[in-house]
Amino acid sequence: MSRVVAENYSPNRDSATVPFYTMDFTNNHLQPPLPTSSASATSPTLGQLLKRVGDVRREATGDGSETPVHQVLELGSTNLEVPRSIPFVLSFNNLSYSVKIRRKFKLPSIIPRRSINSLGAVTDTDPVGGESLFTTTKTLLNEISGEARDGEILAVLGASGSGKSTLIDALANRIAKGSLKGTKTLNGEVLESRMLKVISAYVMQDDLLFPMLTVEETLMFAAEFRLPRSLSKSKKRLRVQALIEQLGLKNAAKTIIGDEGHRGVSGGERRRVSIGIDIIHDPIILFLDEPTSGLDSTSAFMVVKVLQRIAQSGSIVIMSVHQPSYRILGLLDRLIFLSRGQTVYSGSPMNLPVYFSDFGHPIPDNENRTEFALDLIRELEGSPGGTKSLVEFNKSWQNLKHSRNGGSELDRGGLSLKEAISAAISKGKLVSGATNNDAITPNSMVPTFANPVWKEMAVLSRRSFMNSRRMPELFGIRLGAVMVTGFILATMFWQLDSSPKGVQERLGFFAFAMSTTFYTCADALPVFLQERYIFMRETAYNAYRRSSYVLSHGLVALPSLIFLSLAFSALTFWAVGLDGGLLGFLFYFLIIFASFWAGSSFVTFLSGVVPHVMLGYTIVVAILAYFLLFSGFFINRDRIPPYWIWFHYLSLVKYPYEAVLQNEFQDPAKCFVRGVQIFDQSPLGEVPTSLKLKLLESMSKTLGMKITSSTCLTTGADILQQQGITDLSKWNCLWVTVAWGFLFRILFYLSLLLGSKNKRR
Amino acid sequence: MSRVVAENYSPNRDSATVPFYTMDFTNNHLQPPLPTSSASATSPTLGQLLKRVGDVRREATGDGSETPVHQVLELGSTNLEVPRSIPFVLSFNNLSYSVKIRRKFKLPSIIPRRSINSLGAVTDTDPVGGESLFTTTKTLLNEISGEARDGEILAVLGASGSGKSTLIDALANRIAKGSLKGTKTLNGEVLESRMLKVISAYVMQDDLLFPMLTVEETLMFAAEFRLPRSLSKSKKRLRVQALIEQLGLKNAAKTIIGDEGHRGVSGGERRRVSIGIDIIHDPIILFLDEPTSGLDSTSAFMVVKVLQRIAQSGSIVIMSVHQPSYRILGLLDRLIFLSRGQTVYSGSPMNLPVYFSDFGHPIPDNENRTEFALDLIRELEGSPGGTKSLVEFNKSWQNLKHSRNGGSELDRGGLSLKEAISAAISKGKLVSGATNNDAITPNSMVPTFANPVWKEMAVLSRRSFMNSRRMPELFGIRLGAVMVTGFILATMFWQLDSSPKGVQERLGFFAFAMSTTFYTCADALPVFLQERYIFMRETAYNAYRRSSYVLSHGLVALPSLIFLSLAFSALTFWAVGLDGGLLGFLFYFLIIFASFWAGSSFVTFLSGVVPHVMLGYTIVVAILAYFLLFSGFFINRDRIPPYWIWFHYLSLVKYPYEAVLQNEFQDPAKCFVRGVQIFDQSPLGEVPTSLKLKLLESMSKTLGMKITSSTCLTTGADILQQQGITDLSKWNCLWVTVAWGFLFRILFYLSLLLGSKNKRR
């Protein structure tokens, strides 16, 4: 099958741009017959074509060293002169999208609703018929049409709120199916959502990267996640090196990304790394939401220059941009100016002067064209008529241009979408293990994910370790918090005695110590929250399974939790004078470790559901306080009102608290109230010992049993009984605590499943 | 005296631009002889001149309505054609500033040190002789010279890290005296730090504004703080209206500033409001650090247009700017390009093409000049020789220009600095109550602050109330937290009995409840932190006294604290079944109110010392946990190890905890252990009641006193004794709690005094 691909779709094999995976696979005869090989060779389905990529990959790596991979890797920069042989045309027609806005105390907050299909196209923000008193419909996109071609950059321009990002989202299929109207076609065929996911990439505006990894490491991890497993590590490294070259990041390759506390690469370099991560598999269509925002002019120019190189390697690049500088404008091939969701200009930057002078507002010499256009649009928006005149003018101007040029979609060289894609693939495009083409042919052998679970977990864990090892201060802070609290508890409850007061103090110590383990876990919340965004970006394009992430997240936490537990238990066990010797200590250590595990799972789960740090922290603190209140320490289990007993069983603190109490008091030989100590906590505590002894004697007589000053009156078991700790054994408490930890990890997984669908509705 | 001012320094009285406060004061004969009137009328000291402003103000407002204030207020826009009559020239020569950078694990973090005078001028970032292995000296400014004139905008340009902001800081006197070398002169006279504070304003890069106030209100509050008290409210309002006009904010005047949760004015409008606040008193020199950053081109243009208007009203405007658009460039009169702390160009934008073509890199037609220049500089920075050639070229070019033009400082019309300033004052400039000229003539009668303390407090309180009334959700969240916890506690500890177990539970309830009041105060931390930045901006130019802020801050908090206390105490007192009837409730309410007061003062203090929210919240939670641990609940006072007893007395929770315990248990008639209940918590608790009665009888005999089943064995006083609560009466506990609140407010005040010196060292 691969031979078919090579013969039919690689017309360029002799040119300088020998593609990534096409070479030499005619030599390969080991390939088994494929289940779908019965399909006609002259008209294969797309699924078959994509499957071939997988085969080709396997072959390419099977071949070994003679594959001239490095030649393709420079394809981006050397391809400029070669005529484009795989023409792609993305056309979109009459894209419209509206949301309902709820009115609320005159302070509108945008709450989009699901079903607004029935409303039809509405104009502007004016209320339309059929809507309630409390909502207005706002049209974010109003019949936007245009087209983008491979080798070109299409830029969407407009003021804030004009609909730039919405249009990018609409094209990148980040708006739910029902809400968006209009058609999107690629090479004349309707562009399916799943197909788009396979052949495109979307670069978000924020740079969500691990701060302590170097540029090279960051891209290498992206390669490990996204490039097929069959590709050897050395080849992935070559691809990364070529990408670094293409992105102009050679000088920064060994520098860490950095954050507020750590000096790293510049903003422009960081942006290029973000782009690099998303194009590591060389997609056919690249969407970018304001890739230049926040960058200075030189950095912005270099980013767009990189985008131009990507386009010229055979991709369609579509981006929104706020206000391109003169030099950036020179790199853009097509512009769409939006104003309040409507097109006010669409065409080449070259035509801007003609367009605006035809409209009656010629651009003065020496004036920046886009600035002038944006200002004029803004002026019109402020005027009574709005931009209506310009919208109308644009329509007639487009019609004129169309009638002059004839239809524009006919000049794409006769290749159908499937042909074009398979040709692109054979040229080395779409080097992705994450092609997710299950959706297209469910039987296909190209896997949804590039790697198996174990490999994903290994890579994720390695990355996580690498990042945190370079930020020792984060673990240091947690260790410090645990050690300080441990030290205070150890000295405060130094060598507690076994008197009734001592018993009460032991209870207090245990309650406080068990809460501490949970509270210190809350310190990890910011790190988890930060990581979550990276996770969302990466899983959006199937870089790895969510389950692998959850598993590796839990796994990576263990070593540090063991260390924290050991520090805390060693610091307090002997200092407070707890019972049980080495075995007692071991259980004490285990239950503290279990608490840390449950607490960190709980905080991890919360990091999956709360939107930001402050709220998360407040919630953690409040819930832990309630856990402590209901643990059984403040009110024994048998005294908790029946309507609250369910919360007692939900309390995470209950289980470790009961476990340590049992560990402490279960020894039947240990005595806590002996002889005259029976009067210690009673009104008779103040009478002289001789009188107490006499009292004991008289009581002995009445009870008919001998009570001397050495008779044990209360054992540990009695104390457990008094505290209502009777329902679970200490080992069961341990298992329940561990189980809570796993439960919260599962809930975390579910929250990730539900929470990471970042589409508009 | 005022007549002298008018006669000598108001040559323009007949022109259209009649100044703000000069008119009509020749009519005024009520003015008493002044202590400094003995000074020569032809050569008054500056202090005297500034004092006159105060007099003039008093007169102007004494005169009443015929003062044509509105004429001056339009001075900014109408003054364009009038020749500038009060020339100001700010010159700076050879400004140099270096910091030592500590080397640390190869991740450099900038820690400036105080005394680097002895080092002499150093070049670039290379290490110089005499420094240790662990520090390098970095030169942020290297002999920068230039000048700025009234009516003009001087813009400082350069890449990030080139020293733009440092130069602005150096000129605005935000670098400590010892560290900065070189001279700054105004009209040829050395510019003293105190003088500069009087005649200048500094606009920070961030917009720190109350989100829920309208534009007009924001500016009106600024007017109330900064314009002299003697000025009537209606005149302040006129000044604000004129300013709104000047800033182009007429359409936005009634719109709130807004924040993430509340839709407000646009970014450009917000920036203009920030500028408006700082120029409400019409300063002679205005410094701005990147006033256009983060704005789109149109907004940025409008901001600079406003700055041009301000300059043309007779001010010197000095700003740093990242990359001005073509149109903004047209508004700038002088440019200084910096590269790594060195001047690479200095002059008019007009001369840029000549300069660069002389240098051998002509600017192509149609290319943005500043973009070209910045890119060329960046290219040179990356080259082996660096920008040295351009720096040298600039020096020779400057010399050439100088020799061509002759000295430029001679054409300022012969006015000395004092004459120029007094002339500017008489033209209505410097309408400030915050002239702070104590520093210049300590005996002067012009006050440092525009308003007395009571007035400042009233205005601050009004503003704070206004802002929080429009954000009811903030109070709602706190009330919700208190109510939820109150409800849980009320139902959990529902109608506690008076058995020994009930007593133990009461102790737990009190400990938890008192901690809750403190914890809920932590929710206010973000608001306080946000306000602190506004405070720092405002007190930097003496808008009001720090003490007024601290007092009003405490005062404003009270009503909501009363409400929270009432809600919590009413919810729990009767539900739990606490003792003391109405009087008991009143004390309970008072002590909870005192806790809220102390807690909110504590959090306020922390907001004055911690750098950001997360850290603050973590610290509050940890410290409150330790407070609870040491309160006496977990370990009674008499059992706390002597080396920790000091912390027990520091514990904020101790005092309210002891107070409520005393309130609960002080009734000597109330009995908590009666007859056979003595055995409840002991090993004998399980024996039948009849046997218990027999035991009582036998004990009675031994003790020689009659104990029946109704004999009270433990009163509340006994319980207090057992808990070690003996050192303070309940009223003393209340006063101590209240006193803690005041102590933290004082500490807050001190933290503000120490923390708000925002100068570089």
Side-chain angles (χ1 to χ4, degrees), chain A residues 107-108 110 138 160 212 256 262-263 266 272 295-299 302 322-323 325-327 365-369 371 374-375 378 481 484-485 487-494 496-497 499 501-502 504-505 508-509 511-512 519 522-523 526 613-614 617-618 621 625-626 628-630 633-636 638-641 643-644 673 678-679 681-684 687 691 694-695 698-700 702-703 707 713-714 718 722-724, chain B residues 107-108 110 138 160 212 256 262-263 266 272 295-299 302 322-323 325-327 365-369 371 374-375 378 481 484-485 487-494 496-497 499 501-502 504-505 508-509 511-512 519 522-523 526 613-614 617-618 621 625-626 628-630 633-636 638-641 643-644 673 678-679 681-684 687 691 694-695 698-700 702-703 707 713-714 718 722-724:
Chain A
L107 293 167
I110 295 173
K138 184 168 182 179
S160 313
M212 300 310 291
I256 60 163
H262 304 86
R263 200 191 183 85
S266 74
R272 279 178 274 155
L295 300 182
D296 61 61
S297 82
T298 316
S299 306
M302 287 172 78
H322 201 80
Q323 37 184 1
S325 66
Y326 185 84
R327 291 192 308 158
D365 287 350
N366 258 329
E367 178 98 43
N368 181 323
R369 291 165 187 178
E371 257 180 49
L374 288 172
D375 286 338
R378 191 165 160 142
V484 166
T485 309
F487 172 76
I488 289 178
L489 286 174
T491 49
M492 179 79 171
F493 293 96
W494 180 259
L496 291 180
D497 57 28
S499 69
K501 273 234 159 155
Q504 191 59 41
E505 284 159 8
F509 165 74
F512 204 92
Y519 272 101
D523 296 348
V613 173
M614 257 314 280
Y617 204 72
T618 315
V621 168
Y626 296 140
L628 177 61
L629 181 62
F630 286 88
F633 168 70
F634 282 98
I635 292 198
N636 297 340
D638 45 7
R639 304 262 298 181
I640 292 175
Y643 44 82
W644 274 127
V673 180
I678 194 173
F679 303 112
Q681 293 278 63
S682 83
L684 300 171
V687 301
L691 192 57
K694 274 190 197 155
L695 277 171
S698 64
M699 284 163 74
S700 303
T702 315
L703 290 166
I707 305 174
L713 295 168
T714 305
D718 296 324
Q722 278 170 30
Q723 295 298 318
Chain B
L107 292 166
I110 294 174
K138 185 167 183 180
S160 313
M212 300 310 290
I256 60 162
H262 303 86
R263 200 192 183 85
S266 74
R272 279 177 274 154
L295 301 182
D296 62 61
S297 81
T298 316
S299 306
M302 287 173 78
H322 202 79
Q323 37 184 3
S325 67
Y326 186 83
R327 291 192 309 156
D365 287 348
N366 260 330
E367 178 97 44
N368 182 323
R369 292 166 189 177
E371 259 179 49
L374 288 172
D375 287 339
R378 193 167 158 138
V484 166
T485 309
F487 171 78
I488 290 178
L489 286 174
T491 49
M492 180 79 170
F493 294 95
W494 180 258
L496 292 181
D497 56 28
S499 69
K501 272 235 161 156
Q504 192 59 41
E505 284 158 9
F509 165 75
F512 204 93
Y519 273 101
D523 297 347
V613 172
M614 258 313 281
Y617 204 70
T618 314
V621 168
Y626 296 139
L628 176 61
L629 180 62
F630 286 89
F633 169 70
F634 283 96
I635 292 200
N636 298 340
D638 45 7
R639 304 261 300 180
I640 291 176
Y643 46 82
W644 274 127
V673 181
I678 195 173
F679 303 112
Q681 294 278 65
S682 83
L684 300 170
V687 302
L691 192 56
K694 273 190 199 156
L695 275 172
S698 65
M699 284 166 74
S700 303
T702 316
L703 288 168
I707 305 172
L713 294 170
T714 304
D718 296 322
Q722 278 169 31
Q723 296 296 319

Side-chain angles (χ1 to χ4, degrees), chain A residues 345-638:
Chain A
Y345 176 76
S346 171
S348 150
M350 303 299 170
N351 293 336
L352 271 175
V354 185
Y355 178 78
F356 280 104
S357 76
D358 281 7
F359 181 59
H361 291 74
I363 304 177
D365 287 350
N366 258 329
E367 178 98 43
N368 181 323
R369 291 165 187 178
T370 47
E371 257 180 49
F372 175 85
L374 288 172
D375 286 338
L376 179 64
I377 291 163
R378 191 165 160 142
E379 243 169 65
L380 287 173
E381 282 173 357
S383 71
T387 47
K388 209 177 168 187
S389 56
L390 194 55
V391 171
E392 294 303 324
F393 178 73
N394 177 57
K395 273 181 193 155
S396 55
W397 208 73
Q398 294 297 332
N399 291 337
L400 198 73
K401 207 174 64 173
H402 256 267
S403 60
R404 228 185 276 148
N405 296 5
S408 62
E409 285 193 35
L410 301 172
D411 57 344
R412 69 185 137 77
L415 280 185
S416 77
L417 175 57
K418 282 169 193 168
E419 289 164 344
I421 288 181
S422 66
I425 287 170
S426 70
K427 279 197 69 188
K429 286 251 154 206
L430 288 181
V431 196
S432 170
T435 47
N436 192 19
N437 66 333
D438 281 331
I440 297 155
T441 55
N443 299 327
S444 156
M445 288 180 66
V446 180
T448 305
F449 295 92
N451 300 294
V453 175
W454 65 267
K455 171 84 177 161
E456 288 176 359
M457 279 179 60
V459 177
L460 281 168
S461 304
R462 192 151 48 83
R463 182 173 67 171
S464 189
F465 262 126
M466 202 181 258
N467 189 57
S468 41
R469 206 187 47 225
R470 294 185 192 166
M471 286 174 127
E473 63 272 23
L474 279 182
F475 178 70
I477 289 168
R478 284 186 78 186
L479 185 63
V482 168
M483 297 280 277
V484 166
T485 309
F487 172 76
I488 289 178
L489 286 174
T491 49
M492 179 79 171
F493 293 96
W494 180 259
Q495 298 297 339
L496 291 180
D497 57 28
S498 292
S499 69
K501 273 234 159 155
V503 169
Q504 191 59 41
E505 284 159 8
R506 253 163 239 259
L507 298 180
F509 165 74
F510 287 130
F512 204 92
M514 293 306 115
S515 311
T516 297
T517 58
F518 286 100
Y519 272 101
T520 51
C521 291
D523 296 348
L525 191 67
V527 186
F528 294 171
L529 270 168
Q530 197 196 355
E531 259 197 54
R532 188 180 61 167
Y533 292 108
I534 300 177
F535 162 86
M536 276 162 60
R537 176 170 60 69
E538 290 176 337
T539 51
Y541 52 63
N542 289 351
Y544 45 79
R545 292 165 186 83
R546 288 177 178 83
S547 51
S548 305
Y549 176 74
V550 172
L551 287 170
S552 106
H553 192 282
L555 217 61
V556 165
L558 292 184
S560 66
L561 293 185
I562 290 176
F563 199 83
L564 292 177
S565 319
L566 203 60
F568 186 77
S569 47
L571 204 54
T572 52
F573 189 79
W574 287 284
V576 178
L578 298 185
D579 195 48
L582 196 61
L583 280 179
F585 173 73
L586 277 179
F587 184 82
Y588 183 70
F589 161 71
L590 281 179
I591 191 70
I592 283 175
F593 177 47
S595 304
F596 271 119
W597 161 251
S600 106
S601 299
F602 176 62
V603 172
T604 304
F605 161 63
L606 272 179
S607 76
V609 290
V610 297
H612 64 95
V613 173
M614 257 314 280
L615 185 64
Y617 204 72
T618 315
I619 289 175
V620 171
V621 168
I623 292 182
L624 290 181
Y626 296 140
F627 280 173
L628 177 61
L629 181 62
F630 286 88
S631 67
F633 168 70
F634 282 98
I635 292 198
N636 297 340
R637 184 167 57 89
D638 45 7

Side-chain angles (χ1 to χ4, degrees), chain B residues 306-438:
Chain B
V306 160
L307 293 178
Q308 188 188 42
R309 247 183 265 161
I310 293 166
Q312 287 168 343
S313 79
S315 297
I316 299 174
V317 174
I318 301 179
M319 65 191 246
S320 61
V321 60
H322 202 79
Q323 37 184 3
S325 67
Y326 186 83
R327 291 192 309 156
I328 286 179
L329 207 60
L331 302 178
L332 307 178
D333 302 286
R334 274 157 207 262
L335 305 179
I336 292 183
F337 276 80
L338 294 184
S339 163
R340 296 183 180 164
Q342 295 186 295
T343 314
V344 286
Y345 176 76
S346 170
S348 151
M350 302 297 168
N351 293 337
L352 271 174
V354 184
Y355 179 78
F356 280 104
S357 74
D358 281 6
F359 181 61
H361 292 76
I363 305 177
D365 287 348
N366 260 330
E367 178 97 44
N368 182 323
R369 292 166 189 177
T370 47
E371 259 179 49
F372 174 85
L374 288 172
D375 287 339
L376 179 64
I377 291 164
R378 193 167 158 138
E379 243 168 64
L380 286 175
E381 282 173 358
S383 71
T387 47
K388 208 176 166 188
S389 56
L390 194 56
V391 171
E392 293 303 324
F393 179 73
N394 177 56
K395 272 182 195 156
S396 56
W397 209 72
Q398 294 298 330
N399 289 336
L400 198 73
K401 207 174 64 171
H402 257 266
S403 60
R404 226 185 278 144
N405 296 7
S408 62
E409 285 194 33
L410 300 172
D411 59 343
R412 69 186 137 78
L415 280 184
S416 77
L417 175 57
K418 282 170 193 167
E419 288 165 344
I421 290 180
S422 68
I425 288 169
S426 69
K427 279 194 71 185
K429 285 254 156 202
L430 289 181
V431 196
S432 169
T435 46
N436 191 20
N437 67 333
D438 281 333

Side-chain angles (χ1 to χ4, degrees), chain B residues 255-321:
Chain B
T255 312
I256 60 162
I257 301 296
D259 58 12
E260 308 88 46
H262 303 86
R263 200 192 183 85
V265 298
S266 74
E269 287 164 342
R270 198 174 301 179
R271 189 62 47 87
R272 279 177 274 154
V273 175
S274 292
I275 294 170
I277 285 175
D278 281 320
I279 62 162
I280 193 126
H281 64 304
D282 213 348
I284 291 171
I285 309 179
L286 181 61
F287 300 103
L288 304 102
D289 190 14
E290 304 215 8
T292 58
S293 76
L295 301 182
D296 62 61
S297 81
T298 316
S299 306
F301 177 73
M302 287 173 78
V303 164
V304 181
K305 188 84 196 156
V306 160
L307 293 178
Q308 188 188 42
R309 247 183 265 161
I310 293 166
Q312 287 168 343
S313 79
S315 297
I316 299 174
V317 174
I318 301 179
M319 65 191 246
S320 61
V321 60

Side-chain angles (χ1 to χ4, degrees), chain A residues 122 154 157 229 251-252 322 413 415 439 514 531 540 594 676 691:
Chain A
V122 288
L154 167 66
L157 292 99
R229 177 168 44 127
N251 290 327
H322 201 80
L415 280 185
M514 293 306 115
E531 259 197 54
V676 294
L691 192 57

